[in-house]
Amino acid sequence: EGGILELQHLERHILFLTENARARSDSQSQQILFFAGAYLYQSGNYTLARIYLEESLTLSEAIFGRDSIKTILSLNLLALTLN
């Protein structure tokens, strides 16, 4: 089938990588937080998705600026999570 279902068996690893990324403040950490938040949103874990996406947005704004596509994507997905 593909997509999110293929990732379910990797969720433990995704969360481990994301927790390690939270300790850093670089562009790679921002990407990890964004993609983990996207995965969690798609799998229905909105509470944890919100936490990761908020952190992704904060890093995006600091690293890339408010008008960056990465910042806009983080904000958009965070808004969907809050909806």
Side-chain angles (χ1 to χ4, degrees), residues 43-55:
S43 63
N45 187 342
Y46 303 117
T47 302
L48 193 52
R50 176 183 177 178
I51 292 168
Y52 289 164
L53 291 168
E54 286 174 343
E55 292 180 22

Side-chain angles (χ1 to χ4, degrees), residues 17-53:
L17 289 172
T18 306
E19 285 303 312
N20 286 324
R22 294 175 81 191
R24 300 189 328 264
S25 297
D26 56 22
S27 61
Q28 186 177 31
S29 297
Q30 183 277 328
Q31 286 186 316
I32 291 170
L33 288 163
F34 176 79
F35 287 116
Y39 164 75
L40 292 165
Y41 169 76
Q42 289 293 323
S43 63
N45 187 342
Y46 303 117
T47 302
L48 193 52
R50 176 183 177 178
I51 292 168
Y52 289 164
L53 291 168

